[in-house]
Amino acid sequence: MTGSSVAAPDAEASGRTGLEPVRDPRVTLVELVDTLLDRGLYLNLDVIISVADIPLIGLNLRATLAGMETMLEYGMMRDWDQRTRAWIQRTATRDLPLEDDEELLAKMAGGYFSQDDFHRDWRPGSVYLTTGRLLVFRRDPREVLWETPLEDIRSVEISPETTIGGETLDRLKLRTAQGEEAVLSASAPQRLREMVLQQAPAARREVGASGDRPRPADVESDNASPQVEGHLWYQESLAGRSEWRGGTGRLDEHGFTWKSAMDTRPAIRLRPGELRDVRLEDGQVPSGESTLIRLATSAGEFVLAGDTSRWGDPLQDLAGRHDTTDTHGREAIDGLGDR
Amino acid sequence: MSEQALYVYAIAPSGEIRDPGTGIDGQDVLVIDGADGVCALAHRQGTTPYEGPDDDVRRWVLEHSGVIDRAWQAAGAVLPVSFNVIVAPGEQSPADEALQEWLHDNAGTIRERLTALTDHVELRIQIAVETDTVAADASEIARVTAEMASKPEGVQRLYRKKLETMRRDVSERVADSLYPEFRRRILQHAVDVVENRQSRTGEGMVPILDVAVLVAETEVELLGIELAEIRDSRPGLEIRFLGPWPPYSFADLPALTPGGPPQDA
């Protein structure tokens, strides 16, 4: 059961030497401690477990802890059951009192650009989107740096800003019913904007007027293909089985990517030229959709499922495109010959 | 009075573990039998969770994992329980009873999961790429570096900052481009996978992938060969391959019957 064993027969036959896993706690201590603190079973009976000083009563959801911050960034509160949600509400907003009927929808690192007659500076904190408000809150020292009721938001735009270091960062520029303009930073500004637009009734009406300014990347490109972004299922292959996973697909002039909120990077990345063929086919999908999207690529086949009316044509277009990706910002990768 | 709660280490098949030994702070570990083919390993204590300085937590966690590891080797399969899971006594019933009842109610699910985990091990794989190696291949970075040499000191400072950003961007792009293939190659050998989100890498390295995988014992060697091939596929790659461990990251049970009355948190 333990230790790494003798080489497998076929490994010996081919003379290949593999890496051997390391079990020595002196080497693995950090990872072992991380794993033990994050993982393992929670019994769903009257247990007391203490996580970040909050006693958590009877939850059995590993993802609660491991994925909490990420899921919050994605505004995926609704994916949790009600008890877990209640606990997360308490944990994530333990310093920030919410109204009785107010629910947290998303939270991410960010800040507020404070500007008055004397000072102009960034004030870092976390951006919270609730069912009633958008606010920037700092935990220590505790302060609501900026807030607005959602119904007062008139427009939300992405506004690129070049920092002193030469980096271009997207800021969120908001206009309220009172005529106030506020500039926020957020770890995922585009996503935050989409979530705000979904929640703020008045902002939605003006979105066409001022909110849909193209991202800087789009301005530089020829914008030949329409961009599609949305939910897609991906049937990921493992040893002897496969698993349907939910995630976000994205198709733009650089190609197609699919990423799960639980992963750090997209698990599928296809540049123009790498997608050879797209086939739609009847099949079983967990969500009830009944059409599979089969992508034939230079790296093998990927099986997806989702709204074929949205994804079918753009994917076919991508399959028909050759690799005309501009070299802007790409030469570094191309030079490494990872195709 | 003060020893009325149970600190739980693991759930295991009954009859396999004769001497669970000692756990955190030398506490005697007991086998709490559920009489349905499954048991729990626990020690008696008060209801206060372990809290203290980091060094203490590290020691406790190691002692906690020691109990799980010994049980795993003796029984062939266990469900590791997270650190600081303490079963409190109910108003009417002692903690032993609550735990036994829970084992009884969930015995079917637990046995099924234990069977699936038999002969499988958890391994952790971290792949990172050296920023300098990646940057050395980027023509854009070479150009800016050359440009910088002819500039006055004050301007050079800005260039250095810009170069730092460029190096990081290029490394991130390379990591993005390598991740899908590495993930696919690793998953050919794994029956389950969980991504570790708080990846730590050394100075000058950009993490590409950090996962815990559940792998059949017979497949570990082949996974090792795959990883060696990945490592040798391009310069600047570093791989940490840790384990084999009990299935810490794969102990989740699909749907458990709650113990005691439902509660609203």
Side-chain angles (χ1 to χ4, degrees), chain A residues 1-8 10-11 16-23 25 27-50 53 57-58 60-63 66-67 70 82-83 86-87 90 164-167 234 236-241 243 245 259-269 271 299 302 329-333 335-338, chain B residues 8 11 47 49 51 58 61-62 64-65 69 72-73 76 80-88 98-99 102 120 122-124 126 137-140 162 165 168 170 172-177 179-180 183-184 187-192 194-198 200 206-208 217 221-222 224-225 227-229 231 234 239-245 248-253 256-259 263-265:
Chain A
M1 196 96 226
T2 62
S4 30
S5 36
V6 234
D10 52 342
R16 290 175 297 174
T17 323
L19 296 188
E20 294 210 349
V22 180
R23 224 180 106 79
V27 179
T28 64
L29 179 66
V30 172
E31 285 83 6
L32 196 59
V33 170
D34 276 357
T35 304
L36 258 292
L37 289 177
D38 259 17
R39 304 279 169 75
L41 185 67
Y42 294 114
L43 316 186
N44 56 338
L45 75 167
D46 238 344
V47 297
I48 304 157
I49 55 181
S50 170
D53 308 329
I57 308 295
N60 66 340
L61 199 65
R62 175 184 73 214
T70 316
Q82 193 239 324
R83 277 204 315 173
W87 179 75
R90 280 212 324 256
I164 299 169
E167 237 175 326
Y234 166 40
E236 186 165 58
S237 299
L238 294 122
R241 67 185 203 95
E243 186 175 280
R245 307 179 69 209
K259 183 178 179 302
S260 155
M262 303 309 290
D263 299 345
T264 45
R265 302 181 189 278
I268 305 177
R269 177 174 292 274
R271 287 181 217 139
F302 297 97
R330 288 261 154 212
E331 66 272 26
I333 294 176
L336 292 173
D338 62 337
Chain B
V8 189
I11 311 294
T47 50
E51 275 167 322
R58 272 193 282 274
V61 166
L62 276 183
H64 179 98
S65 78
D69 211 281
W72 182 54
Q73 294 184 41
V81 172
S82 200
F83 179 66
N84 254 344
V85 171
I86 300 158
V87 178
L99 186 52
W102 183 86
H120 285 74
E122 174 165 338
L123 295 156
R124 180 140 174 188
Q126 299 168 326
D137 288 332
S139 55
E140 177 73 1
K162 186 176 175 187
T165 308
R168 211 181 42 231
V170 168
E172 279 296 326
R173 272 209 304 273
V174 168
D176 266 347
S177 75
Y179 174 93
R183 182 179 170 102
R184 263 200 315 280
L187 292 196
Q188 286 170 12
H189 305 278
V191 294
D192 210 346
V194 178
E195 189 132 349
N196 293 305
R197 303 213 52 105
Q198 337 106 303
R200 303 160 198 243
V206 169
I208 298 175
E217 277 182 283
E221 203 69 38
L222 292 172
I225 291 167
L227 292 177
E229 285 173 6
R231 182 198 53 197
R234 62 159 58 225
I239 299 185
R240 268 165 74 77
F241 186 27
L242 309 180
W245 288 335
Y248 297 120
S249 307
F250 304 97
D252 268 359
L253 297 171
L256 293 170
T257 311
Q263 14 174 309
D264 287 307

Side-chain angles (χ1 to χ4, degrees), chain A residues 179-191:
Chain A
E180 184 201 0
E181 244 193 25
V183 180
L184 309 187
S185 67
S187 56
Q190 193 69 250
R191 200 159 58 227

Side-chain angles (χ1 to χ4, degrees), chain B residues 8-211:
Chain B
V8 189
Y9 294 89
I11 311 294
S14 291
E16 306 282 347
I17 299 154
R18 292 198 173 74
D19 178 21
T22 57
I24 293 177
D25 285 342
Q27 298 262 20
D28 283 327
V29 180
L30 314 167
V31 178
I32 311 281
D33 215 309
D36 296 280
V38 291
C39 66
L41 302 182
H43 76 238
R44 280 185 210 291
Q45 64 157 52
T47 50
T48 318
Y50 286 94
E51 275 167 322
D54 285 359
D55 280 347
D56 287 348
V57 172
R58 272 193 282 274
R59 181 171 50 81
W60 292 328
V61 166
L62 276 183
E63 289 166 349
H64 179 98
S65 78
V67 174
I68 297 171
D69 211 281
R70 286 196 303 275
W72 182 54
Q73 294 184 41
V78 292
L79 302 183
V81 172
S82 200
F83 179 66
N84 254 344
V85 171
I86 300 158
V87 178
E91 275 173 30
Q92 309 290 327
S93 56
D96 290 49
E97 225 166 81
L99 186 52
Q100 274 164 335
E101 200 171 305
W102 183 86
L103 287 170
H104 173 76
D105 291 346
N106 294 286
T109 321
I110 293 170
R111 277 199 308 265
E112 218 167 277
R113 189 73 193 133
L114 285 171
T115 306
L117 290 172
T118 304
D119 298 331
H120 285 74
V121 302
E122 174 165 338
L123 295 156
R124 180 140 174 188
I125 302 164
Q126 299 168 326
I127 310 182
V129 65
E130 241 170 35
T131 316
D132 283 350
T133 313
V134 174
D137 288 332
S139 55
E140 177 73 1
I141 289 177
R143 191 179 58 74
V144 175
T145 310
E147 235 176 76
M148 181 173 82
S150 61
K151 307 285 179 190
E153 183 50 38
V155 182
Q156 284 200 5
R157 240 190 36 221
L158 289 176
Y159 265 76
R160 273 193 288 275
K161 205 156 182 186
K162 186 176 175 187
L163 275 171
E164 199 39 55
T165 308
M166 285 172 77
R167 260 198 284 273
R168 211 181 42 231
D169 287 355
V170 168
S171 305
E172 279 296 326
R173 272 209 304 273
V174 168
D176 266 347
S177 75
L178 294 175
Y179 174 93
E181 185 204 331
F182 291 175
R183 182 179 170 102
R184 263 200 315 280
R185 289 173 69 173
I186 289 167
L187 292 196
Q188 286 170 12
H189 305 278
V191 294
D192 210 346
V193 59
V194 178
E195 189 132 349
N196 293 305
R197 303 213 52 105
Q198 337 106 303
S199 192
R200 303 160 198 243
T201 35
E203 186 85 351
M205 307 290 293
V206 169
I208 298 175
L209 167 147
D210 187 339
V211 291

Side-chain angles (χ1 to χ4, degrees), chain A residues 11 14 32 103 127 129 213 216 231 273:
Chain A
S14 62
L32 196 59
E103 251 197 87
V127 185
L129 175 65
R213 251 180 45 188
H231 186 269

Side-chain angles (χ1 to χ4, degrees), chain A residues 41-86:
Chain A
L41 185 67
Y42 294 114
L43 316 186
N44 56 338
L45 75 167
D46 238 344
V47 297
I48 304 157
I49 55 181
S50 170
V51 181
D53 308 329
I54 307 268
L56 165 57
I57 308 295
L59 295 178
N60 66 340
L61 199 65
R62 175 184 73 214
T64 312
L65 309 169
M68 189 175 94
E69 289 296 322
T70 316
M71 301 270 282
L72 276 174
E73 252 199 58
Y74 277 78
M76 289 165 74
M77 283 292 285
R78 299 223 157 83
D79 287 12
W80 285 302
D81 66 45
Q82 193 239 324
R83 277 204 315 173
T84 312
R85 245 180 11 236

Side-chain angles (χ1 to χ4, degrees), chain A residues 17-279:
Chain A
T17 323
L19 296 188
E20 294 210 349
V22 180
R23 224 180 106 79
D24 186 343
R26 280 170 301 184
V27 179
T28 64
L29 179 66
V30 172
E31 285 83 6
L32 196 59
V33 170
D34 276 357
T35 304
L36 258 292
L37 289 177
D38 259 17
R39 304 279 169 75
L41 185 67
Y42 294 114
L43 316 186
N44 56 338
L45 75 167
D46 238 344
V47 297
I48 304 157
I49 55 181
S50 170
V51 181
D53 308 329
I54 307 268
L56 165 57
I57 308 295
L59 295 178
N60 66 340
L61 199 65
R62 175 184 73 214
T64 312
L65 309 169
M68 189 175 94
E69 289 296 322
T70 316
M71 301 270 282
L72 276 174
E73 252 199 58
Y74 277 78
M76 289 165 74
M77 283 292 285
R78 299 223 157 83
D79 287 12
W80 285 302
D81 66 45
Q82 193 239 324
R83 277 204 315 173
T84 312
R85 245 180 11 236
W87 179 75
I88 289 162
Q89 293 275 2
R90 280 212 324 256
T91 312
T93 61
R94 70 185 128 144
D95 302 301
L96 169 72
L98 297 180
E99 306 290 326
D100 281 346
D101 55 348
E102 189 176 16
E103 251 197 87
L104 177 69
L105 297 171
K107 174 194 168 193
M108 62 180 75
Y112 167 64
F113 188 68
S114 152
Q115 198 170 1
D116 59 29
D117 293 343
F118 308 100
H119 298 98
R120 297 158 63 89
D121 62 337
W122 277 106
R123 307 182 68 193
S126 292
V127 185
Y128 290 77
L129 175 65
T130 76
T131 45
R133 288 179 290 171
L134 178 67
L135 66 146
V136 182
F137 179 73
R138 184 183 58 201
R139 254 185 75 185
D140 192 19
R142 182 176 150 162
E143 187 188 349
V144 173
L145 301 172
W146 177 85
E147 69 175 321
T148 179
L150 291 179
E151 69 237 29
D152 284 357
I153 299 176
R154 286 294 170 269
S155 72
V156 194
E157 296 176 38
I158 296 289
S159 157
E161 183 189 294
T162 305
T163 65
I164 299 169
E167 237 175 326
T168 304
L169 295 176
D170 282 347
R171 308 297 193 197
L172 211 59
K173 200 180 267 183
L174 293 113
R175 214 157 43 73
T176 68
Q178 291 75 35
E180 184 201 0
E181 244 193 25
V183 180
L184 309 187
S185 67
S187 56
Q190 193 69 250
R191 200 159 58 227
L192 181 62
R193 171 175 173 264
E194 281 158 27
M195 289 189 284
V196 172
L197 285 173
Q198 274 173 21
Q199 294 299 322
R204 196 175 293 163
R205 283 199 298 276
E206 289 189 28
V207 49
S210 57
D212 270 350
R213 251 180 45 188
R215 292 169 55 79
D218 295 337
V219 179
E220 287 166 16
S221 76
D222 57 5
N223 240 345
S225 66
Q227 183 182 297
V228 192
E229 188 166 27
H231 186 269
L232 272 180
W233 294 95
Y234 166 40
Q235 189 175 31
E236 186 165 58
S237 299
L238 294 122
R241 67 185 203 95
S242 65
E243 186 175 280
W244 281 104
R245 307 179 69 209
T248 304
R250 184 188 158 92
L251 205 156
D252 61 22
E253 72 279 6
H254 297 304
F256 172 79
T257 58
W258 179 92
K259 183 178 179 302
S260 155
M262 303 309 290
D263 299 345
T264 45
R265 302 181 189 278
I268 305 177
R269 177 174 292 274
L270 299 170
R271 287 181 217 139
E274 289 177 333
L275 178 61
R276 291 181 182 149
D277 188 34
V278 183
R279 271 190 305 127

